[in-house]
């Protein structure tokens, strides 16, 4: 049976909003008429495209496949309209990436660096809590999520967590301090800036301190890595963090790395949803070695 692209367009609009009523309002048709068009498309394809969850509609496995094709078809259609409207060929790939709000900005910039100067690509960067980002990913409003924790997918939510980098967590502090020995001696009597109690790094650090019977003096608990970076730079306290967070300060000599915590690492994940294909830009990002975006300067701080 020949595909009706009018029906496919209606499906595409509903899939993007995840809500029949909102899609009907944007299309200026009744909800019942829109629902009828979707049923006709499902009948022609021989598969249910949506799963109802209360008032929201969630894509089925067949729906996700249909959406990936519809997304490409109608994005090309938008480019065609733009071509005749502007007289120029847009031909730009759009890549939508979300990052958990607490993730290091330096890590994000380093990871995205290969794409930042491409004129044929438009990057959409979004920051939020992991739960909200996963909702956007499931609704196909994101292509990828960057996170420092993995998530577990299932049949309803076919998320895939891919480990893209792993870096030791270090003791970061002012340059030129005289320190005695390594961990845990280096921290005795020091005031520390540490991640919040729900952070994986903090939990591993607490376990390490308990093992070594160290009771650290906590000056501040900070969830946001950007704020942690500022406090470490401006207060003179030691901090527990991945070196990538203060990459520029380490390189310039404003801060020093006093050694990695034994057995404590931060892991960085790229979370995607299983699709029939990945865009070329996404493949390029995921194929790069972690050395490209986890450069760790080696500084002499023994003076």
């Amino acid at each position: 049976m020949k595909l009706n692209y009018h029906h496919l367009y209606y499906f595409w609009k509903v899939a993007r909003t995840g809500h029949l009523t909102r899609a009907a309002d944007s299309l200026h048709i009744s909800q019942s008429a829109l629902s009828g068009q979707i049923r006709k498309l499902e009948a022609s394809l021989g598969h249910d495209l949506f799963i109802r969850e209360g008032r929201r509609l969630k894509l089925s496995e067949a729906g996700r496949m249909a959406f990936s094709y519809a997304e490409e078809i109608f994005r090309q259609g938008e480019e065609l309209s733009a071509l005749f409207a502007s007289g120029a060929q847009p031909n730009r790939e759009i890549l939508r990436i979300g990052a958990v709000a607490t993730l290091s900005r330096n890590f994000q910039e380093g990871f995205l660096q290969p794409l930042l100067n491409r004129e044929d690509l438009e990057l959409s960067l979004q920051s939020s809590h992991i739960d909200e980002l996963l909702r956007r990913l499931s609704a196909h409003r994101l292509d990828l999520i960057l996170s420092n924790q993995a998530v577990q997918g299932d049949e309803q939510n076919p998320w895939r967590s891919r480990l893209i980098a792993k870096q030791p967590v270090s003791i970061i502090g002012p340059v030129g301090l005289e320190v005695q020995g390594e961990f845990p001696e280096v921290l005795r009597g020091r005031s520390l800036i540490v991640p919040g109690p729900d952070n994986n790094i903090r939990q591993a650090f607490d376990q390490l301190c308990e093992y070594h019977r160290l009771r650290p003096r906590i000056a501040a608990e900070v969830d946001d890595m950007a704020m942690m970076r500022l406090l470490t730079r401006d207060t003179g306290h030691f901090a527990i963090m991945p070196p990538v967070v203060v990459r520029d300060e380490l390189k310039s000599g404003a801060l020093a790395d006093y050694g990695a915590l034994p057995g404590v690492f931060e892991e960085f994940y790229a979370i995607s949803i299983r699709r029939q294909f990945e865009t070329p830009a996404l493949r390029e990002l995921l194929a790069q070695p972690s050395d490209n975006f986890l450069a760790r300067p080696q500084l002499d701080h023994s003076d």
Side-chain angles (χ1 to χ4, degrees), residues 14-15 18-20 50-59:
V14 174
H19 200 284
L20 195 66
F50 290 106
I51 300 170
R52 287 193 174 274
E53 291 188 350
R55 294 185 177 182
R56 293 190 62 84
L57 292 173
K58 190 172 183 179
L59 288 171

Side-chain angles (χ1 to χ4, degrees), residues 204-244:
F205 175 65
D206 287 348
Q207 291 174 8
L208 191 64
C209 289
E210 184 177 351
Y211 177 80
H212 288 277
R213 298 182 179 179
L214 174 68
R215 298 186 66 179
R217 183 193 305 163
I218 306 300
E221 293 180 335
V222 184
D223 284 329
D224 182 70
M225 284 294 169
M227 178 58 70
M228 198 171 187
R229 174 188 183 186
L230 291 177
L231 292 178
T232 306
R233 188 184 67 191
D234 297 339
T235 64
H237 294 319
F238 276 21
I240 304 302
M241 66 173 69
V244 69

Side-chain angles (χ1 to χ4, degrees), residues 30-226:
S30 69
Q31 182 176 334
S32 59
L34 180 57
S35 181
Q37 300 294 320
I38 299 299
R39 285 196 297 270
K40 289 179 181 179
L41 178 63
E42 290 177 325
S44 68
L45 295 176
H47 293 278
D48 291 334
L49 301 178
F50 290 106
I51 300 170
R52 287 193 174 274
E53 291 188 350
R55 294 185 177 182
R56 293 190 62 84
L57 292 173
K58 190 172 183 179
L59 288 171
S60 66
E61 183 176 355
R64 287 192 295 269
M65 181 177 296
F67 181 84
S68 67
Y69 280 101
E71 182 83 344
E72 186 67 21
I73 290 168
F74 294 116
R75 189 165 62 189
Q76 291 289 333
E78 290 175 349
E79 287 189 3
L80 179 62
S81 297
L83 170 65
F84 285 99
S86 66
Q89 172 62 51
N91 196 28
R92 301 182 76 199
E93 183 180 345
I94 300 174
L95 190 62
R96 302 156 301 179
I97 295 180
V100 294
T102 58
L103 198 65
S104 164
R105 305 299 191 267
N106 279 339
F107 168 77
Q108 295 178 49
E109 181 185 16
F111 180 75
L112 296 172
Q113 189 63 45
L115 305 181
L116 294 181
N117 295 320
R118 282 183 44 176
E119 295 184 357
D120 63 337
L121 179 70
E122 178 182 336
L123 277 175
S124 172
L125 306 179
Q126 305 173 33
S127 178
S128 189
H129 188 272
I130 185 64
D131 292 337
E132 172 59 25
L133 294 175
L134 288 171
R135 280 192 288 270
R136 298 177 194 176
L137 183 66
S138 294
H140 298 272
R141 298 199 301 271
L142 285 175
D143 298 302
L144 190 74
I145 297 172
L146 298 178
S147 174
N148 49 12
Q149 64 184 59
V151 297
Q152 186 67 42
D154 54 31
E155 290 185 2
Q156 298 299 322
N157 298 294
W159 302 318
R160 179 175 61 176
S161 296
R162 188 178 317 186
L163 180 64
I164 55 174
K166 181 178 180 180
Q167 176 166 293
V169 174
S170 287
I171 303 165
I172 305 294
V175 173
L177 295 181
E178 293 185 6
V179 298
Q180 299 296 325
E182 299 178 348
F183 181 87
E185 285 74 19
V186 67
L187 293 183
R188 297 194 189 278
R190 304 281 183 183
S191 295
L192 296 179
I193 301 170
V194 296
D198 294 332
N199 186 285
N200 291 340
I201 294 175
R202 173 64 182 280
Q203 293 169 8
F205 175 65
D206 287 348
Q207 291 174 8
L208 191 64
C209 289
E210 184 177 351
Y211 177 80
H212 288 277
R213 298 182 179 179
L214 174 68
R215 298 186 66 179
R217 183 193 305 163
I218 306 300
E221 293 180 335
V222 184
D223 284 329
D224 182 70
M225 284 294 169

